[in-house]
Amino acid sequence: QVQLIESGGGLVQAGGSLRLSCAASGRTSTSAMGWFRQGPGKEREFVARIRWSPGYTNYADSVKGRFTISTDNAKNTVNLQMNSLNPEDTAVYYCAAQITPTRTYGSASSYDAWGQGTQVTVSS
C-alpha cells in the first residue's frame, strides 16, 4: 500500500507562484509520481509526471514552461513548482503514484494510489 499526503495549496494572485509537495509512505515502492488536477465542472486532467529514477519528466502542454516537477528522494517527496499561475489553473490538485513501471503517464487509470487533493485558487 502507498499513502500520499499533499500540501502547499492555497490562494494566489494571477502571475504568482505556489509549490505543492506530496509525501509518499507505505510498504510498496513506486516507480513514478504524478500530479493531476480537476477544475470546477471539469474532468480530472494530467499535469505532470516524474520517474524516481532516472528522473524523466512529462508535462501537459498547458503547463510546460510554467510548472516544474521534481523529487526529493531522501524524503520520498515529489514537488510541483507552479509559476506564472493564471485563473485557469484553479483546481484541486491530486498527487498520484504508479507502482509498476509504465510508459503511460497521461491516463488517471494508470495510477495506483491517490492523495486527498489540495485546493489551488488563482484570482484575477
Side-chain angles (χ1 to χ4, degrees), residues 76-100:
N76 224 27
T77 298
V78 61
N79 303 305
L80 185 68
Q81 178 66 41
M82 305 185 294
N83 299 327
S84 301
L85 286 161
N86 58 64
E88 289 69 39
D89 296 315
T90 294
V92 177
Y93 283 70
Y94 296 91
C95 176
Q98 293 177 315
I99 296 174
T100 303

Side-chain angles (χ1 to χ4, degrees), residues 19 21-24 50 52 69-79:
R19 183 180 178 87
S21 293
C22 175
I50 187 167
W52 288 108
I69 189 170
S70 63
T71 59
D72 183 336
N73 289 19
K75 297 181 180 179
N76 224 27
T77 298
V78 61
N79 303 305

Side-chain angles (χ1 to χ4, degrees), residues 53-70:
S53 179
Y56 294 147
T57 57
N58 306 96
Y59 293 95
D61 288 343
S62 59
V63 305
K64 279 182 182 177
R66 300 189 300 123
F67 290 13
T68 302
I69 189 170
S70 63

Side-chain angles (χ1 to χ4, degrees), residues 1 5 11-12 14 37 42-43 46 50 53 58 70 77-78 88 98 106 109 111 123:
Q1 275 189 323
I5 299 178
L11 173 65
V12 65
R37 66 186 182 185
K42 298 181 180 179
E43 294 186 353
F46 169 76
I50 187 167
S53 179
N58 306 96
S70 63
T77 298
V78 61
E88 289 69 39
Q98 293 177 315
S109 63
Y111 292 77
S123 63

